[in-house]
Amino acid sequence: MKQLGILGYPLSHSISPEFQQAALDHHKIKAEFHRWEIKTDELNSFFETIQDANFVGASVTIPYKEQCLDLVDKVSDSANLIGAINCIVNTNNQLVGHNTDGSGFIRALKTKHGFNPHGKKVLLIGAGGAAKAIAYSLVQEKINQITIANRTVARGDKLAENLKSIVPKINSIKLERQSLIEPLSDVDLIVNTTSIGMKNGPDPEHSPIPADLIPQNTVINDIVYNPIETPLIKAAKKKNIPTIGGLDMLVYQGIEAFELWTKKHAPETIMYDAAQKALGL
Ligand code: ATR
């Protein structure tokens, strides 16, 4: 039996095992998708146990996306640029680290929602791990402009500094009402990568941007998927603005990972349905 799984701590909330197993079963691949809830001090010995021909690959989630960079044998160019991996692939008995967070985000945007980021103006809220992967992938798609709005400005400044040679217009601002007025006056896509609005998160009741500042001609993408309708998504829907929820990025990063592991076309609808079912929707 081939072995795959998700590596992280804690993992009680993860729905990856459900939608990945559904995809493996659909293709009649004899493989088990595990929940590898591993504590930090067990991480090195865990990597010894996966040096096995039956190990196909793993998803990597919080808090190990950066730490695992040093534990794999090789890292893809884009994961190196992002500085984090969320997917490990056993390639001829070498562990190769990839990052499918950004590519999954872009694939959901383009194929599921028909939004082509080329030439667009983007407001990115947050500057953490998810923001980094999304920012690099958007820049690769040749967006015209990106504004990074973060609570801790120094972190946003650092991300902007790293990207400034590859995107024509980039700036970093504080995530606060006054600074948001100007970038929100002309923006094609707004992406929330912070945990504001997330159930059991630091600020579940609020939208990361004031509802009255959300402009009409834009698309709102919130990568928070629990709840499916965050305060930001609700505010946008009230104004009839197109919205993209967080489940899309979650499933599409998994679709990209599945295709790297199996070299087979991922059954998108089956995975999406399994993810929704696992969330009780
Ligand atoms: P992830 O890997 O999910 O992106 P992370 O790297 O810890 O997680 O990043 C979390 C992001 O959410 C950061 O942009 C963080 O802002 P800071 O850099 O200022 O910490 C943002 N964030 C988390 N809680 C927040 C809150 N209550 N208000 C504003 N921003 C918050």
Side-chain angles (χ1 to χ4, degrees):
M1 192 70 126
K2 298 282 183 195
Q3 308 294 327
L4 297 103
I6 179 161
L7 167 67
Y9 191 93
L11 279 181
S12 49
H13 64 281
S14 174
I15 59 168
S16 292
E18 281 85 355
F19 67 73
Q20 294 292 6
Q21 191 68 54
L24 292 164
D25 295 348
H26 170 80
H27 278 295
K28 300 196 168 45
I29 297 169
K30 285 200 171 58
E32 284 173 328
F33 197 96
H34 299 269
R35 210 175 269 276
W36 285 316
E37 195 169 51
I38 304 291
K39 295 199 175 113
T40 308
D41 58 358
E42 298 165 345
L43 198 58
N44 285 325
S45 59
F46 172 77
F47 266 78
E48 281 164 27
T49 66
I50 60 173
Q51 308 282 344
D52 179 311
N54 279 327
F55 172 77
V56 177
S59 288
V60 180
T61 187
I62 291 169
Y64 299 131
K65 290 187 183 184
E66 288 170 11
Q67 219 170 318
C68 281
L69 270 180
D70 299 326
L71 294 169
V72 292
D73 301 313
K74 249 173 85 178
V75 176
S76 76
D77 290 346
S78 55
N80 236 334
L81 274 174
I82 293 164
I85 64 174
N86 75 320
C87 173
I88 299 172
V89 184
N90 182 349
T91 310
N92 306 321
N93 292 325
Q94 268 209 320
L95 299 183
V96 184
H98 295 262
N99 194 307
T100 67
D101 278 334
S103 52
F105 171 85
I106 298 289
R107 187 155 155 194
L109 202 59
K110 281 183 160 174
T111 62
K112 200 154 178 234
H113 299 278
F115 183 99
N116 185 351
H118 189 117
K120 298 294 198 303
K121 296 188 174 101
V122 180
L123 172 65
L124 184 72
I125 305 163
K132 250 198 275 181
I134 290 171
Y136 276 104
S137 305
L138 282 168
V139 166
Q140 236 97 68
E141 294 291 315
K142 301 201 168 18
I143 52 171
N144 171 266
Q145 180 179 314
I146 185 165
T147 301
I148 298 160
N150 199 42
R151 174 179 62 183
T152 310
V153 178
R155 209 171 175 196
D157 286 351
K158 190 156 174 250
L159 180 54
E161 184 64 31
N162 290 343
L163 290 170
K164 75 173 186 216
S165 62
I166 38 177
V167 62
K169 297 176 206 158
I170 184 159
N171 63 323
S172 157
I173 61 167
K174 183 153 178 69
L175 180 59
E176 62 176 14
R177 186 179 177 91
Q178 196 55 35
S179 312
L180 285 165
I181 292 173
E182 202 266 332
L184 281 170
S185 67
D186 183 17
V187 64
D188 302 304
L189 175 69
I190 299 168
V191 187
N192 173 45
T193 71
T194 73
S195 40
I196 302 172
M198 186 170 81
K199 188 179 161 192
N200 302 325
D203 198 355
E205 304 296 329
H206 287 108
S207 159
I209 50 176
D212 63 299
L213 290 186
I214 300 175
Q216 278 301 331
N217 296 320
T218 195
V219 173
I220 300 264
N221 191 333
D222 195 338
I223 74 162
V224 172
Y225 65 87
N226 194 4
I228 287 288
E229 288 218 337
T230 59
L232 174 61
I233 294 277
K234 275 191 186 147
K237 282 194 167 167
K238 248 189 195 162
K239 292 188 165 185
N240 286 323
I241 293 163
T243 59
I244 304 174
L247 198 55
D248 289 339
M249 177 175 166
L250 178 73
V251 174
Y252 276 86
Q253 64 74 31
I255 284 172
E256 296 258 312
F258 181 88
E259 292 178 350
L260 287 171
W261 296 323
T262 65
K263 315 251 180 330
K264 290 187 193 301
H265 191 68
E268 296 184 13
T269 312
I270 285 171
M271 293 172 82
Y272 205 87
D273 288 351
Q276 282 191 308
K277 196 170 156 218
L279 285 174
L281 299 171

